[in-house]
Amino acid sequence: MPAALLIGAIVFAAASFGHLTRPVGFLASFWPANALLLGLMIRRSEFATPLSLSGAVAGYLLADFVGGTPPLLSLWLTVANLASLLAGHAFFRQADPEDQRLARPQSILLLLLVSLASAAVSAVVGAGGLVVFFGSSPAQALALYVASELAANLVVLPMVLTAPPIATLRARRLRPRAPDRDGMLRSLPLLALIVSLAVGTMVGGSGAVSVPIPAILWCALSYGLFPTAVLTFVMGVWQGTVLVSAIPPGTDAFIPAAVSHRLGLALVALGPIMVASINSARGALLAKLDHAANHDALTGVLSRGALLERGERALLRSRERREPLALLLLDVDHFKSVNDGHGHAAGDRALAALSAAIGAELRREDVFGRLGGEEFAIVMPGKAADAARATAEHLRQLCERTPVRNDAGEALAITVSIGLASEPLARDTLGTMLKRADDALYRAKAEGRNRVVTAAAAEPAPALGEAPAGRLISP
């Protein structure tokens, strides 16, 4: 029952808004109720039950009653609305979940086809109401009905289908953000859209719908799919209610002008959604390629090259800010015996398990990667020697407790030795710090393994004319 009441309230509010857009003596210029409910039915199966649809029927009829729609016309149009919903839901529920979220460029074609099918079914059922109550010809009634439903679907559905879960939106709102120096630049596409909508409103005429196209495409290239869908919705509502034809209903030119306006609105709405979807898919592909290039395939941590590059950058930033920095070098003890005694699969599981356990304990600014084999390194900006030593000891104990099993299900005793280098001098590179950490790691191995050893203090700067220590590991 709560779902039916909620759906009834949503439909009543959306339908009442549609009634506010009615020209005198005609139907709504923009009808969002069907598309909004269809999107909710696709997102949540409990909204597609007969009980929920009964709530929708009550919402439609109540909004029509409040809006002064004749009872027979109200029943006729409500049946058409239900036919549109059932047809759209029947088509869309067969699609892949990725396509239902418009996550792929080809999903936009599905959106267009489903919107057309839903609009066509609605027109076949409801166009007769325009013929009987408003004297339209059958051809004009069908064309207007299809154009109106298609425009509403393409304006409203993308926003509903791509909306993140409420919990995700709340987490984004509560997450602290660093100051964005480029915030003004990022707002330029939005400002351009606002200005273009204002210009189009002042210019008026049949071409006003196309004025914001460059700005909304700029938004599609600058923002994500859901923000673009929201902006397209706002633009569509504005153009579907404010930029309505000045030709009054009842004249011969009204329906052709209304069909032209609503088809233009539909196609203008389709463009930015398609561009945003393609751009989003491109960004996801580039992210996958970047991850594959910079991360170790087995453990998921940074690869050697990415580790050294980002670690060197972290060292330079710490030096510029006059902040401490520490480097941990970790090596799995007796790893060869693990591979020889239990198989390489068990060794791989051990490396993956230790990497996951360590990564979960690190800060976002820490740089964690695999140097090769069973050896890992962690660069920790802002960590002084004592704090770094405490972190290293915590990670050592964590690795000792991390459960790893062989193919027979037997628990393996896995430990790590850690070499710690901190407090770099002005002439230090990541290579020289790694050399000091490696020396400390060697001592940890020699002293019995499963321990943390701190490297000796860095050597003083070389005297005038003395060559500095060369890099043992190039970034």
Side-chain angles (χ1 to χ4, degrees):
M1 184 62 71
L5 291 175
L6 178 60
I7 287 297
I10 291 173
V11 168
F12 173 76
S16 297
F17 174 82
H19 286 315
L20 294 176
T21 70
R22 289 187 299 188
V24 176
F26 205 69
L27 297 181
S29 297
F30 185 75
W31 186 254
N34 294 352
L36 178 60
L37 181 53
L38 175 58
L40 292 174
M41 290 168 61
I42 295 168
R43 293 290 300 266
R44 301 282 294 272
S45 59
E46 64 266 30
F47 293 156
T49 63
L51 185 60
S52 294
L53 289 177
S54 67
V57 170
Y60 283 124
L61 294 177
L62 182 59
D64 285 346
F65 176 77
V66 174
T69 304
L72 180 58
L73 178 60
S74 176
L75 288 173
W76 198 330
L77 297 179
T78 298
V79 173
N81 292 334
L82 285 177
S84 171
L85 291 169
L86 294 175
H89 186 257
F91 286 119
F92 234 126
R93 71 179 179 179
Q94 305 300 325
D96 186 273
E98 290 279 309
D99 291 322
Q100 292 179 4
R101 297 192 300 271
L102 307 185
R104 299 183 289 201
Q106 58 265 36
S107 307
I108 308 304
L109 177 60
L110 174 67
L111 172 68
L112 176 60
L113 293 176
V114 171
S115 297
L116 275 171
S118 173
V121 171
S122 180
V124 169
V125 177
L130 276 68
V131 176
V132 172
F133 286 88
F134 300 102
S136 304
S137 69
Q140 287 182 330
L142 284 170
L144 182 61
Y145 225 109
V146 169
S148 301
E149 287 290 315
L150 179 63
N153 284 338
L154 294 180
V155 167
V156 178
L157 267 177
M159 181 183 66
V160 181
L161 296 178
T162 61
I166 295 177
T168 302
L169 292 174
R170 186 180 295 115
R172 290 177 183 175
R173 181 172 58 86
L174 295 177
R175 185 183 303 141
R177 296 182 179 180
D180 186 1
R181 298 178 182 178
D182 299 327
M184 185 62 185
L185 292 177
R186 283 186 54 80
S187 67
L188 288 179
L190 176 59
L191 294 175
L193 178 61
I194 295 172
V195 171
S196 63
L197 285 174
V199 170
T201 303
M202 291 186 291
V203 170
S206 58
V209 172
S210 63
V211 173
I213 289 179
I216 192 64
L217 291 179
W218 189 11
C219 291
L221 291 171
S222 304
Y223 308 133
L225 182 56
F226 175 61
T228 299
V230 172
L231 293 176
T232 303
F233 169 76
V234 173
M235 181 187 72
V237 170
W238 180 267
Q239 293 182 330
T241 56
V242 176
L243 297 183
V244 294
S245 173
I247 302 174
T251 61
D252 293 339
F254 171 74
I255 289 186
V259 170
S260 176
H261 174 266
R262 295 172 194 182
L263 281 178
L265 178 60
L267 296 178
V268 167
L270 186 64
I273 300 300
M274 182 176 295
V275 170
S277 179
I278 294 173
N279 199 46
S280 178
R282 172 181 172 274
L285 178 60
L286 290 176
K288 288 182 180 178
L289 291 174
D290 179 74
H291 189 275
N294 292 305
H295 290 77
D296 178 60
L298 173 63
T299 62
V301 301
L302 291 174
S303 62
R304 178 187 178 91
L307 166 67
L308 296 175
E309 178 186 350
R310 299 183 191 186
E312 191 77 63
R313 289 205 304 262
L315 176 60
L316 292 175
R317 282 195 303 269
S318 295
R319 183 174 293 137
E320 291 170 358
R321 299 171 183 175
R322 300 180 181 275
E323 296 175 346
L325 178 136
L327 187 147
L328 303 183
L329 200 58
L330 300 85
D331 189 87
V332 181
D333 296 327
H334 301 295
F335 188 69
K336 185 177 185 302
S337 65
V338 174
N339 281 334
D340 293 344
H342 302 279
H344 287 276
D348 288 348
R349 283 198 296 273
L351 294 179
L354 294 180
S355 299
I358 292 171
E361 297 294 312
L362 298 179
R363 305 167 301 169
R364 177 175 294 185
E365 61 266 30
D366 294 332
V367 182
F368 177 35
R370 184 182 181 189
L371 286 172
E374 67 274 22
E375 194 170 51
F376 298 83
I378 306 171
V379 179
M380 300 186 294
K383 285 272 188 177
D386 291 342
R389 173 81 188 202
T391 299
E393 182 60 30
H394 170 70
L395 294 179
R396 184 196 66 78
Q397 295 177 17
L398 175 69
C399 291
E400 196 173 21
R401 298 192 306 266
T402 299
V404 178
R405 297 186 179 276
N406 62 12
D407 293 338
E410 300 168 340
L412 304 181
I414 303 294
T415 62
V416 298
S417 299
I418 302 177
L420 164 64
S422 60
E423 307 297 341
L425 293 178
R427 71 186 182 90
D428 261 335
T429 65
L430 189 66
T432 58
M433 289 197 71
L434 278 168
K435 175 60 171 64
R436 289 196 285 124
D438 190 53
D439 291 342
L441 177 62
Y442 181 82
R443 287 168 46 206
K445 295 283 188 181
E447 293 173 8
R449 295 182 170 83
N450 191 23
R451 66 192 63 230
V452 177
V453 172
T454 302
E459 297 177 0
L464 186 62
E466 181 182 343
R471 291 187 184 181
L472 299 180
I473 301 179
S474 300

